[in-house]
Each structure stands twice: as structure tokens, then as C-alpha cells.
Amino acid sequence: MGLFTNLLTLPLAPVRMTVAVAEQIRKQAEREYYDPARIRRQLDEIGALRDSGEIDPQDADALENDLIARLLVANDRPQRES
């Protein structure tokens, strides 16, 4: 970019920075949401809650189905280095 363009777009710098920060937060949230190790831990926790009777079997099934769907998506996602 030229000097003139930089001067004209200078007022937008805070907006660009906010967008960049929001994008980094989104990427980190997706990494955590689709982390296979985290999903497996959550499946183990649901199994323990089911075994102890702290959660209704139907609720446990619904939660497990959601987690398994996330795990399948996680396995299909390309591994990205960020």
C-alpha cells in the first residue's frame, strides 16, 4: 500500500485490529471445540455420570451423540498449524 492509501485508511485501523483479534479467538475456540482428546474426555465424563446415576440415560445418549458428531467432524477437518 502506498502512503496515501495508508493515510486514508488509518481511521479503520482499530476496526481491522478488532477483526484480527476476533478471528484469532474464533480459531482458538474451534480448535478447542473440535479437539479429539477433549471430546473423548467429555465422553468419559458422561459415561461416569451415567454409571453413577447422576444423569438420565436419555440425556446421556443425546450428549454422547452430539460429542460423537463433533468427533467425526474433527477427524474430517484438516490439521492446521497456526
Side-chain angles (χ1 to χ4, degrees), residues 3-64:
L3 179 62
F4 188 68
T5 304
N6 284 338
L7 289 175
L8 286 177
T9 61
L10 187 60
L12 297 176
V15 173
R16 286 193 304 261
M17 181 59 77
T18 301
V19 169
V21 169
E23 180 65 16
Q24 290 300 316
I25 291 170
R26 182 193 63 79
K27 286 179 181 179
Q28 180 62 31
E30 280 185 358
R31 277 192 295 270
E32 290 180 16
Y33 186 75
Y34 290 112
D35 178 26
R38 175 177 279 219
I39 294 170
R40 287 185 186 100
R41 279 193 306 273
Q42 290 173 331
L43 284 168
D44 290 341
E45 290 171 6
I46 292 170
L49 290 172
R50 180 195 310 247
D51 292 343
S52 68
E54 294 180 47
I55 190 170
D56 182 49
Q58 292 171 335
D59 293 337
D61 288 341
L63 291 170
E64 287 173 342

